[in-house]
Amino acid sequence: MASELEYESVLCVKPDVSVYRIPPRASNRGYRASDWKLDQPDWTGRLRITSKGKVAYIKLEDKVSGELFAQAPVEQYPGIAVETVTDSSRYFVIRIQDGTGRSAFIGIGFSDRGDAFDFNVSLQDHFKWVKQESEISKESQEMDSRPKLDLGFKEGQTIKLSIGNITTKKGGTSKPKTAGTGGLSLLPPPPGGKVTIPPPSSSVAISNHVTPPPIPKSNHGGSDAALFRTRHHSHPTGSSSEEHWWDVQERREE
């Protein structure tokens, strides 16, 4: 079923090719083009190389009608299906097959050396691609046969993400603290929205306070203010000067 879905692609087309009937190989030394009748080819026509899947086909066709003269399936190159001769780069030996399974070896040759080069490179590129496809398919099968790695979360499994100073928690996220000038953290305002200024300490002097000058003492041992109050003090009972002096003595003792 897979071979039926494969399509045929053309790899190379050469309009001029000669076909020779070759003698059996006498030894293991290889084929030699000089043993053929190069000036008397047995057939001339067109050569076309196609591929279907991994197999390449060398087709010898009539130049005018395109009728198939012979076909050589190639499953490996270099291999027994296509061989080079030992004395020239323009001649090859191919194994042709018919639909009944019979096969025969014939010689082919190109008048232009460039055509022979293209013929050789087309087969090499095709089987290089076949080798790469086989390696990719083999690696794919090995990957499928390996146990698969389960990276999914198990039931009840959780993870915790920490990004800087923001840690995700259930129900909300904590807000980062803002830093003031110089990297110092700013304290939040009190709940009432008012700032209470504490009273100044008693040890701190008020800048607008003026200290009164000291009261000079009199020659009698008391201050002038005390004497002034004593002199101008009016007693309601009208007592004598001794009572006034006694009052002054009591004030000084106090």
Side-chain angles (χ1 to χ4, degrees):
M1 183 66 179
S3 60
E4 295 179 358
L5 299 176
E6 293 175 347
Y7 61 91
E8 185 180 48
S9 60
V10 179
L11 304 180
C12 179
V13 177
K14 293 302 173 182
D16 191 9
V17 64
S18 300
V19 175
Y20 303 92
R21 185 176 296 176
I22 62 175
R25 186 186 307 195
S27 62
N28 293 330
R29 66 190 177 109
Y31 293 101
R32 293 174 57 90
S34 59
D35 298 336
W36 308 344
K37 297 178 181 181
L38 299 179
D39 56 345
Q40 298 178 0
D42 295 292
W43 183 86
T44 59
R46 178 181 67 187
L47 180 142
R48 192 161 60 100
I49 302 177
T50 64
S51 65
K52 191 174 183 180
K54 297 181 179 180
V55 182
Y57 297 90
I58 301 173
K59 297 182 178 183
L60 303 175
E61 301 171 343
D62 186 80
K63 292 182 180 180
V64 179
S65 63
E67 182 182 359
L68 182 64
F69 171 75
Q71 176 175 270
V74 184
E75 298 180 354
Q76 183 180 0
Y77 184 76
I80 192 173
V82 181
E83 297 182 52
T84 59
V85 297
T86 59
D87 57 348
S88 177
S89 61
R90 296 187 293 114
Y91 296 92
F92 302 86
V93 176
I94 63 174
R95 184 183 64 180
I96 59 175
Q97 293 180 347
D98 59 7
T100 62
R102 294 181 301 175
S103 62
F105 291 92
I106 61 174
I108 61 173
F110 302 93
S111 58
D112 188 353
R113 196 176 301 274
D115 292 343
F117 176 80
D118 294 341
F119 171 82
N120 187 26
V121 170
S122 298
L123 292 174
Q124 289 179 350
D125 290 345
H126 171 72
F127 287 98
K128 185 183 296 184
W129 171 82
V130 171
K131 183 179 179 181
Q132 292 175 351
E133 289 294 317
S134 300
E135 293 176 353
I136 293 174
S137 178
K138 184 178 179 181
E139 292 178 358
S140 178
Q141 292 177 358
E142 291 178 355
M143 291 294 294
D144 294 339
S145 61
R146 294 177 184 176
K148 296 183 178 179
L149 182 61
D150 185 11
L151 299 178
F153 285 101
K154 304 299 186 293
E155 184 177 359
Q157 185 178 5
T158 59
I159 61 173
K160 183 178 180 181
L161 299 178
S162 179
I163 305 175
N165 57 354
I166 304 177
T167 305
T168 59
K169 297 180 181 178
K170 184 177 180 181
T173 58
S174 61
K175 298 182 179 179
K177 296 182 179 180
T178 58
T181 306
L184 299 178
S185 300
L186 299 178
L187 297 177
K194 298 181 180 180
V195 179
T196 303
I197 301 176
S201 176
S202 59
S203 60
V204 180
I206 301 176
S207 58
N208 295 331
H209 178 73
V210 179
T211 304
I215 301 174
K217 295 183 179 181
S218 63
N219 297 330
H220 299 283
S223 63
D224 293 342
L227 294 176
F228 179 81
R229 287 195 301 268
T230 303
R231 293 175 182 176
H232 295 276
H233 178 70
S234 59
H235 200 276
T237 57
S239 58
S240 63
S241 60
E242 292 181 358
E243 293 178 355
H244 289 290
W245 177 251
W246 181 255
D247 292 339
V248 172
Q249 291 295 335
E250 286 182 352
R251 292 179 184 272
R252 293 182 61 182
E253 290 177 359
E254 289 178 357

Short mmCIF file of all heavy atoms in Angstrom, two decimals, residues 10-15 46-49 115 122:
data_model
loop_
_atom_site.label_atom_id
_atom_site.label_comp_id
_atom_site.label_asym_id
_atom_site.label_seq_id
_atom_site.Cartn_x
_atom_site.Cartn_y
_atom_site.Cartn_z
N VAL A 10 11.92 12.44 -11.53
CA VAL A 10 12.98 12.34 -12.54
C VAL A 10 14.25 12.95 -11.97
O VAL A 10 14.26 14.09 -11.51
CB VAL A 10 12.57 13.06 -13.83
CG1 VAL A 10 13.69 12.98 -14.86
CG2 VAL A 10 11.29 12.46 -14.40
N LEU A 11 15.33 12.20 -12.00
CA LEU A 11 16.61 12.65 -11.46
C LEU A 11 17.53 13.19 -12.54
O LEU A 11 18.29 14.14 -12.30
CB LEU A 11 17.31 11.50 -10.72
CG LEU A 11 16.52 10.82 -9.59
CD1 LEU A 11 17.35 9.70 -8.97
CD2 LEU A 11 16.11 11.83 -8.54
N CYS A 12 17.50 12.61 -13.72
CA CYS A 12 18.44 13.02 -14.76
C CYS A 12 17.90 12.56 -16.12
O CYS A 12 17.29 11.48 -16.23
CB CYS A 12 19.82 12.40 -14.50
SG CYS A 12 21.08 12.81 -15.73
N VAL A 13 18.15 13.34 -17.16
CA VAL A 13 17.77 13.00 -18.53
C VAL A 13 18.95 13.33 -19.45
O VAL A 13 19.44 14.47 -19.45
CB VAL A 13 16.51 13.76 -18.98
CG1 VAL A 13 16.20 13.43 -20.45
CG2 VAL A 13 15.32 13.42 -18.11
N LYS A 14 19.39 12.34 -20.25
CA LYS A 14 20.46 12.53 -21.22
C LYS A 14 19.95 12.09 -22.60
O LYS A 14 19.52 10.94 -22.78
CB LYS A 14 21.70 11.73 -20.83
CG LYS A 14 22.37 12.23 -19.57
CD LYS A 14 22.77 13.69 -19.70
CE LYS A 14 23.28 14.29 -18.42
NZ LYS A 14 23.62 15.73 -18.57
N PRO A 15 19.98 13.00 -23.57
CA PRO A 15 19.35 12.69 -24.86
C PRO A 15 20.14 11.73 -25.75
O PRO A 15 19.59 11.20 -26.73
CB PRO A 15 19.24 14.06 -25.54
CG PRO A 15 20.35 14.86 -24.95
CD PRO A 15 20.51 14.38 -23.54
N ARG A 46 17.77 7.50 -25.74
CA ARG A 46 17.74 8.48 -24.65
C ARG A 46 17.81 7.74 -23.31
O ARG A 46 17.23 6.67 -23.14
CB ARG A 46 16.46 9.31 -24.73
CG ARG A 46 16.29 10.33 -23.63
CD ARG A 46 14.98 11.08 -23.81
NE ARG A 46 13.82 10.22 -23.61
CZ ARG A 46 12.56 10.60 -23.84
NH1 ARG A 46 12.31 11.81 -24.32
NH2 ARG A 46 11.57 9.76 -23.64
N LEU A 47 18.51 8.35 -22.35
CA LEU A 47 18.60 7.77 -21.01
C LEU A 47 17.87 8.67 -20.03
O LEU A 47 18.03 9.89 -20.07
CB LEU A 47 20.06 7.58 -20.61
CG LEU A 47 20.31 6.99 -19.21
CD1 LEU A 47 21.50 6.03 -19.24
CD2 LEU A 47 20.60 8.09 -18.18
N ARG A 48 17.10 8.04 -19.16
CA ARG A 48 16.37 8.80 -18.12
C ARG A 48 16.49 8.04 -16.80
O ARG A 48 16.24 6.85 -16.74
CB ARG A 48 14.90 8.94 -18.53
CG ARG A 48 14.12 9.93 -17.71
CD ARG A 48 12.85 10.35 -18.46
NE ARG A 48 11.98 9.23 -18.73
CZ ARG A 48 10.90 8.92 -18.01
NH1 ARG A 48 10.57 9.67 -16.96
NH2 ARG A 48 10.16 7.88 -18.36
N ILE A 49 16.87 8.79 -15.74
CA ILE A 49 16.97 8.20 -14.40
C ILE A 49 15.81 8.72 -13.57
O ILE A 49 15.61 9.93 -13.44
CB ILE A 49 18.31 8.56 -13.70
CG1 ILE A 49 19.49 8.11 -14.54
CG2 ILE A 49 18.38 7.91 -12.32
CD1 ILE A 49 20.83 8.51 -13.95
N ASP A 115 28.15 14.43 -19.58
CA ASP A 115 26.95 13.60 -19.41
C ASP A 115 27.24 12.41 -18.51
O ASP A 115 26.40 12.03 -17.68
CB ASP A 115 26.45 13.12 -20.78
CG ASP A 115 25.92 14.25 -21.63
OD1 ASP A 115 25.63 15.34 -21.06
OD2 ASP A 115 25.79 14.07 -22.86
N SER A 122 24.01 11.93 -10.17
CA SER A 122 22.58 11.76 -9.91
C SER A 122 22.33 10.52 -9.07
O SER A 122 21.51 10.56 -8.13
CB SER A 122 21.82 11.67 -11.24
OG SER A 122 21.95 12.85 -11.97
#
